Amino acid sequence: MKILKKIKVFTDYVCPWCYLGHSRVKKLMKNLDFNIEIIHFPLHPNTPNKGLKLIELFNCSEKDLEFKNENMAALMKNEDIKFNYRTHTYNSRLAQEIGVWGYEIYKNFDIHDRFYEAYFIENKNLNDKNILIEVIEKSGLNIIEGEKVINKRLFKNKVDEHWSQSYQYRVTGVPTYVLNNRTLVGAQSYEVLEKFINVN
């Protein structure tokens, strides 16, 4: 029996480079045989529940933010990914807990796409319970069970474990890819990711 390689992907739903990298990993999954383990990373864990303006996060001007958005939009367009200009970042902790629930319990990989879409296309607050319920419904998962996961924080400890792995692997930026003893950081091209996976 062939044992497939397992790649750890450290990521956060509010990271544009993770969104870009996620698209490339999905393309690789169509062409190569490997397993993927999503590890949620605390990119901006202290973001308030209502969100934070990106000009405050980056300490930049409106013009600088527009420039950042234009550059990111061009990258997304080249990758054939939808993207709308962002003005805020949001606390992704609850979204991560739902992501772990959907993926680990139901093997629902689509839920990651739905969270990226909710933030990068629809500009929605991933800390809003109503938005989380929307994502759960769009992913084809049980809403009542999902509400229970949110309200009782049933996967809080699981995400704590993910964050601990980030510290253990000394991940300081995302996306980060780990395969065996090798590490690759950043939204690398399809070709670089392919080579990273294929090296024995």
Side-chain angles (χ1 to χ4, degrees), residues 25-83:
V25 167
K26 286 198 302 178
K27 291 176 182 177
L28 281 166
M29 291 172 72
K30 295 179 180 179
N31 300 318
L32 299 175
D33 289 328
F34 63 94
N35 289 324
I36 183 172
E37 181 181 2
I38 300 292
I39 308 295
H40 294 281
F41 176 83
L43 183 61
H44 304 301
N46 296 319
T47 303
N49 292 340
K50 66 180 181 179
L52 179 69
K53 289 183 178 180
L54 290 178
I55 57 172
E56 296 178 22
L57 177 67
F58 298 137
N59 191 25
C60 68
S61 67
E62 293 282 0
K63 186 175 181 180
D64 290 336
L65 180 60
E66 183 177 357
F67 180 73
K68 290 176 184 291
N69 274 315
E70 288 175 352
N71 285 344
M72 190 57 63
L75 288 171
M76 298 297 183
K77 184 177 181 180
N78 287 338
E79 200 73 21
D80 197 26
I81 305 174
K82 292 182 179 179
F83 174 83

Side-chain angles (χ1 to χ4, degrees), residues 8-23 37-47 57 76 86 88-97 99-100 111-117 119-120 124-127 159 162-163 166-167 171-177 187:
K8 292 180 180 288
V9 181
F10 293 82
T11 185
D12 191 303
Y13 294 132
V14 295
C15 165
W17 302 107
C18 296
Y19 180 38
L20 190 63
H22 182 73
S23 172
E37 181 181 2
I38 300 292
I39 308 295
H40 294 281
F41 176 83
L43 183 61
H44 304 301
N46 296 319
T47 303
L57 177 67
M76 298 297 183
R86 301 181 301 146
H88 289 70
T89 187
Y90 296 104
N91 194 308
S92 59
R93 172 65 196 222
L94 287 177
Q96 292 182 2
E97 293 178 18
V100 172
I111 196 165
H112 303 309
D113 296 88
R114 303 293 85 81
F115 275 123
Y116 282 122
E117 290 166 4
Y119 177 55
F120 287 104
K124 292 183 175 178
N125 184 347
L126 299 188
N127 190 66
V159 173
H162 281 218
W163 287 16
S166 298
Y167 302 131
V171 174
T172 58
V174 284
T176 290
Y177 309 90

Side-chain angles (χ1 to χ4, degrees), residues 1 3 21-22 33 52 69 76 81 91 105 107 122 138 141 146 151 156 168 172 197:
M1 181 178 178
I3 299 177
H22 182 73
D33 289 328
L52 179 69
N69 274 315
M76 298 297 183
I81 305 174
N91 194 308
I105 302 302
K107 306 303 178 187
E122 300 166 1
K138 288 179 180 179
L141 296 171
N151 294 332
K156 178 182 182 300
Q168 176 188 344
T172 58
I197 294 169

